[in-house]
Amino acid sequence: MKMSLLTIFMIVFITGIVWGGFIFFLIKAINKERQKAANG
Amino acid sequence: MKHREFFSSRWGLIISTLGIAIGTGNIWRFSRVVAQNGGGSFLIPWVIFLLIWSLPLIIAEFALGKSTRFGPIGAIAKTAGKKYAWMGAFIAFVSTAIMFYYSVVTGWCIKYFVSAVFGNLLNQTDYLLYWNEFSSSYSPLIFHFIAMFICAAIIFRGVVNGIEKANKVLVTSLIIILFILLFRAITLPNAMEGLKYFFTPKMEYILDYKVWLNALTQNAWDTGAGWGLILTYAVYMKRNEDISINASLIGFGNNSISLVAGITIFSTVFALSSVDAMNQITQSGPANTGLTFIYLPLLFNNISSNPLLNTLFASIFFLALSFAALSSLISLMELTTRTFIDFGFNRKKAIMLVAGIGFLFGVPSALDINFFTNQDWVWGVGLILSGAFIAFAIIKFGVDKFRVEIINGEGSDIKIGKWYNVIIKYLIPAQVVVLLSWWLISSVSWDPDWLNPFNTENAGTCLFQWGVVIVIFILLNKKINQKLTA
């Protein structure tokens, strides 16, 4: 079952923004917490 | 005001706030709305409104709760001025009215979970009949009571020992279960057809304004932005806690879960029912229950040739749904509890009062599906007004001052730029005006009986019920301010 290029683009685009956004901010939050812990 | 309890850590706050946002709306409402609005075509405006409606309002709620240390009424009164306390009362009332019937929904989920575990659910032959028999009996009342009791017991234990600990279990388990179901769904034969429908955009739908408006209401509904719930949890965040990153995690996290649930449901529906998949998924059924309570149990019966495995998957699906509903119901009850605390009640008395009132006012929705549908309609649309009142409070306070002094103030990990001013000042009000105008104009043109306040789902019943509540709160505005704990 083949997917069109448009569908593949949409999968990458939508999941990229939504899941990508979540992972981006999660990493940022983890780094900030690490910094805070290191600074006491 | 005395204030002692705070979430134990950033992760405690985030997971509890995610519990607000992740509810049954992500699992059953999202899939149905995507199917009704052209699959992939819907996802584009859905992502855009995440950025220009949900995220700015989630940031606003975090900032209001953290800075004022009050629930919605006190927060709006302190930010916009005392003469606007009635707006905060309206926000609190809308979420409380939703709590009355959401407890009934939570009860339905628990009932289906129990039925699935004991094998009754998958033994059925006619799921519509099964649903009708259940919903027209007194059983929903019992499960409504159970849902209220569980959440009241959790809130009774306080913010850290109750709300935070419960959400750590509920939200974490929910995410694990959803990923197990996702893996099973995408490995079913023909699941790719579901994925193709879910992600492929169609031009005629993208150009349809209704798709855009549905994308906005879906965002308003399932992220919890503008409800006053995130504001309530933010009352318990520490002074040195960040706002912007936490808010972004809630917005993106909530929509990430919606995507997981959507992929799971579309893959399952297309894999197991290629002929009438679209007919079934778009049919609302009574009180929009069609997909979840009538069609999905049928699909779980066909997920494999092993009845035990089918029971297992049906059980964990309804367990996930129950967890999602419970974590949201906890926040709805906490908002009302917080409001009572702001008026001088102690937590324990406030919770008992909220549980009692919540059970009592939920009874009509538990026993009458038309009453339930009416309340779901009136207060679901009312959330748009709640979001507008939050934006109004910030505009009244001064958007730039709010951004610089509160959002970017103590504890902020990243600074929010001036783009935020433009969204709160212009884009949110524009979205509210366009959405409500469209809704009224289309109601007038389609429904000759649009002004009748006693219809189940029309403009008249909303205008009437909102009007009564707003007039009462405006008349009580002075008293509300007097009683609010200094």
Side-chain angles (χ1 to χ4, degrees):
Chain A
M1 204 153 296
K2 275 194 164 181
M3 277 190 185
S4 68
L5 269 179
L6 180 63
T7 307
I8 294 167
F9 169 77
M10 277 292 288
I11 292 175
V12 174
F13 179 70
I14 298 291
T15 57
I17 293 180
V18 178
W19 290 345
F22 179 71
I23 292 165
F24 173 78
F25 285 108
L26 185 62
I27 291 170
K28 246 186 162 24
I30 291 169
N31 286 340
K32 292 288 176 187
E33 285 305 301
R34 274 194 191 145
Q35 269 177 25
K36 280 179 195 169
N39 295 336
Chain B
M1 186 183 63
K2 283 181 186 171
H3 182 78
R4 294 190 187 93
E5 241 190 329
F6 295 101
F7 284 108
S8 65
S9 67
R10 174 179 218 151
W11 309 117
L13 170 72
I14 287 172
I15 211 149
S16 301
T17 319
L18 264 178
I20 298 174
I22 301 170
T24 54
N26 300 64
I27 299 171
W28 102 43
R29 192 181 193 277
F30 177 70
S31 302
R32 177 172 55 81
V33 175
V34 171
Q36 288 169 337
N37 290 278
S41 319
F42 175 83
L43 296 178
I44 296 168
W46 176 71
V47 166
I48 292 172
F49 285 122
L50 165 68
L51 303 175
I52 63 169
W53 174 274
S54 302
L55 278 179
L57 282 177
I58 295 173
I59 291 173
E61 285 205 37
F62 266 118
L64 284 169
K66 182 185 170 185
S67 62
T68 64
R69 300 294 179 194
F70 272 110
I73 302 178
I76 298 292
K78 275 187 105 174
T79 311
K82 285 187 171 180
K83 64 178 176 176
Y84 300 106
W86 63 270
M87 288 186 175
F90 180 83
I91 296 169
F93 184 86
V94 170
S95 289
T96 304
I98 291 174
M99 181 255 286
F100 297 150
Y101 69 81
Y102 198 80
S103 172
V104 176
V105 176
T106 310
W108 296 344
C109 300
I110 297 171
K111 149 77 184 173
Y112 269 62
F113 165 65
V114 173
S115 297
V117 168
F118 290 103
N120 304 336
L121 188 64
L122 298 193
N123 286 340
Q124 305 298 318
T125 48
D126 186 340
Y127 285 98
L128 182 59
L129 183 71
Y130 183 71
W131 164 258
N132 285 339
E133 279 178 355
F134 164 64
S135 61
S136 59
S137 69
Y138 284 100
S139 292
L141 202 58
I142 298 164
F143 286 95
H144 162 52
F145 176 82
I146 293 170
M148 266 296 168
F149 181 81
I150 293 172
C151 292
I154 289 168
I155 300 171
F156 199 80
R157 294 172 62 86
V159 175
V160 177
N161 287 326
I163 296 171
E164 187 178 324
K165 275 191 181 163
N167 274 299
K168 277 180 179 167
V169 175
L170 294 173
V171 176
T172 313
S173 317
L174 169 67
I175 291 170
I176 293 168
I177 292 171
L178 280 178
F179 274 95
I180 293 170
L181 290 170
L182 172 74
F183 179 75
R184 179 65 192 122
I186 57 171
T187 52
L188 286 167
N190 211 31
M192 283 301 132
E193 278 302 314
L195 276 183
K196 273 165 75 175
Y197 183 85
F198 188 62
F199 281 107
T200 308
K202 299 177 195 81
M203 199 45 84
E204 70 269 24
Y205 279 99
I206 293 177
L207 298 176
D208 185 348
Y209 70 101
K210 283 182 192 166
V211 173
W212 288 77
L213 293 164
N214 281 320
L216 174 53
T217 46
Q218 176 59 25
N219 263 292
W221 179 258
D222 85 351
T223 54
W227 293 46
L229 301 170
I230 295 169
L231 183 160
T232 304
Y233 277 14
V235 170
Y236 311 113
M237 68 194 279
K238 290 173 187 158
R239 183 65 54 191
N240 62 353
E241 197 71 81
D242 164 77
I243 289 173
S244 312
I245 292 179
N246 291 349
S248 306
L249 275 170
I250 305 309
F252 283 108
N254 171 75
N255 284 28
S256 295
I257 293 298
S258 289
L259 274 186
V260 171
I263 293 170
T264 305
I265 287 175
F266 275 81
S267 302
T268 311
V269 169
F270 275 79
L272 301 177
S273 170
S274 55
V275 182
D276 62 347
M278 284 317 297
N279 285 336
Q280 295 287 354
I281 205 170
T282 53
Q283 272 175 8
S284 294
N288 295 328
T289 51
L291 174 66
T292 312
F293 294 107
I294 297 164
Y295 192 53
L296 280 179
L298 184 72
L299 292 188
F300 282 120
N301 241 339
N302 300 322
I303 212 162
S304 76
S305 54
N306 184 343
L308 262 180
L309 202 63
N310 296 350
T311 300
L312 176 73
F313 278 110
S315 304
I316 62 169
F317 173 78
F318 284 106
L319 181 65
L321 207 59
S322 303
F323 282 0
L326 282 169
S327 65
S328 299
L329 183 60
I330 289 170
S331 64
L332 286 161
M333 288 181 74
E334 175 59 25
L335 181 145
T336 317
T337 304
R338 180 73 241 170
T339 305
F340 277 112
I341 294 171
D342 288 347
F343 283 92
F345 284 74
N346 72 47
R347 172 169 282 275
K348 287 181 179 171
K349 268 190 188 162
I351 293 161
M352 286 194 271
L353 199 63
V354 171
I357 292 171
F359 175 73
L360 212 63
F361 282 85
V363 170
S365 293
L367 297 180
D368 182 353
I369 205 81
N370 285 327
F371 188 85
F372 171 92
T373 308
N374 172 263
Q375 291 300 288
D376 186 25
W377 166 247
V378 171
W379 305 116
V381 183
L383 288 172
I384 296 162
L385 278 188
S386 295
F389 289 161
I390 287 177
F392 172 84
I394 298 167
I395 293 167
K396 201 86 186 111
F397 181 82
V399 186
D400 203 54
K401 191 176 162 200
F402 186 79
R403 179 181 66 85
V404 174
E405 292 178 10
I406 301 174
I407 300 173
N408 291 344
E410 190 182 351
S412 68
D413 287 334
I414 54 170
K415 304 291 179 202
I416 293 290
K418 284 191 172 172
W419 57 266
Y420 188 79
N421 302 7
V422 178
I423 291 181
I424 292 289
K425 244 181 175 169
Y426 304 110
L427 281 183
I428 299 265
Q431 289 171 79
V432 172
V433 169
V434 169
L435 188 64
L436 290 181
S437 308
W438 163 77
W439 172 69
L440 267 177
I441 290 165
S442 59
S443 293
V444 173
S445 57
W446 284 93
D447 179 10
D449 205 23
W450 70 275
L451 206 51
N452 184 350
F454 301 109
N455 271 9
T456 306
E457 278 181 287
N458 69 346
T461 190
C462 289
L463 296 175
F464 174 69
Q465 294 185 55
W466 297 347
V468 168
V469 171
I470 287 175
V471 167
I472 290 173
F473 285 139
I474 289 176
L475 291 174
L476 291 175
N477 198 59
K478 213 173 174 182
K479 270 216 150 71
I480 291 172
N481 280 305
Q482 283 168 355
K483 295 259 179 190
L484 209 57
T485 315

